[in-house]
Structure formats: structure tokens, C-alpha cells
Amino acid sequence: MPIDATLPYDDSNIFARILRGEIPAKTVYEDEHAFAFHDIQPQAPTHILVIPRGPYASWDDFSAKASEAEIAGFVRAVGKVARDHGLVEPGYRLLANTGGHGGQEVPHLHVHLFGGKALGPMLAR
Ligand code: 5GP
């Protein structure tokens, strides 16, 4: 069920629980501002989720409220994960579902990083 992106941050969401170590995740990268782990239901040979550590529900929330350091740290982490997984030369796709029409299901900002094969058209037709 897609979320309502206008609701306040809910720290019981599954990614908040992963950040607190209450639920296991296959971590691939972490630093002061970001955390990255394999998606539990991968939709490509490489399917990694990169999330900020801070309590931001969506791309909208993050872009409006996060500090410059948090934004820089998060963006750099996404790029580093892609480089570390050898995805730059073959190419990859980033996706941040946002709110209802975006189909966002977990109300903590996450960027999907897909790669490992030619990914086809951007949206289902
Ligand atoms: P959204 O539709 O919100 O953009 O994507 C949420 C993603 O989170 C989905 O791809 C889903 O497979 C993934 N996901 C949901 N629950 C868990 C979980 O407990 N662990 C991990 N690693 N991924 C999850």
C-alpha cells in the first residue's frame, strides 16, 4: 500500500528498525550519513537500497529538511556503492519512489540502485 508522503515520520517503519539493528539486513555500506543493503526481493541481479540515517520519510522530506552535510553524504554514498559494485561502466539505474503515485511503500527515504543487466525501458508500458 503506497504511503501518504505528507504524513510525519514514523520511526516504527521497517528501515528505521533496520537502522536500529532490530531487523537484520545484508549491509553493503555504511557511514555517518548513509546505510546501504540488499533489497529483500531483488528485481535485478544487483538491487541495493541506500537510505539516509536521518528520519526522512521521502525524497521530498529529505530535500526540504536535511542538512547540506546529510545531502552530500547521502548522494556520495549512492555513487560509492555503485562504483564499489562495478556498475559505472555497464551502467545502472537509480529510483526513488515518492508518495502515492510514486508507489512508495516504506516511509523512510530510499534510493533503489539496480544493475547487473540491461534494464530495459524506464517505465512499464
Ligand atoms: P518502495 O516500493 O517503498 O520504493 O520499495 C520498498 C522496497 O523495500 C521493496 O523493494 C522491498 O522489497 C524492500 N523491503 C521491504 N521490506 C524489506 C526488509 O525487511 N528488508 C529489506 N532488505 N528490504 C525490504
Side-chain angles (χ1 to χ4, degrees):
M1 183 76 171
I3 69 156
D4 176 349
T6 63
L7 293 176
Y9 186 78
D10 170 9
D11 71 1
S12 68
N13 77 76
I14 198 97
F15 295 167
R17 298 184 67 196
I18 285 174
L19 280 171
R20 292 195 296 267
E22 296 168 8
I23 291 177
K26 292 184 181 169
T27 308
V28 301
Y29 177 75
E30 57 182 313
D31 65 21
E32 179 187 359
H33 293 299
F35 190 83
F37 53 101
H38 289 286
D39 196 289
I40 203 166
Q41 289 189 297
Q43 296 186 44
T46 300
H47 183 175
I48 293 168
L49 299 168
V50 189
I51 67 176
R53 286 196 183 273
Y56 302 105
S58 68
W59 184 271
D60 181 68
D61 196 26
F62 184 68
S63 61
K65 298 180 190 155
S67 69
E68 306 297 309
E70 287 175 304
I71 292 171
F74 180 65
V75 172
R76 288 195 187 281
V78 173
K80 178 168 173 50
V81 169
R83 286 192 295 279
D84 289 353
H85 286 77
L87 298 176
V88 175
E89 188 278 320
Y92 61 96
R93 180 171 294 157
L94 301 177
L95 178 71
N97 295 322
T98 304
H101 280 191
Q104 181 180 0
E105 296 196 338
V106 178
H108 183 113
L109 169 62
H110 48 284
V111 166
H112 296 257
L113 195 163
F114 299 105
K117 68 172 187 179
L119 295 164
M122 186 169 65
L123 295 174
R125 295 181 178 153

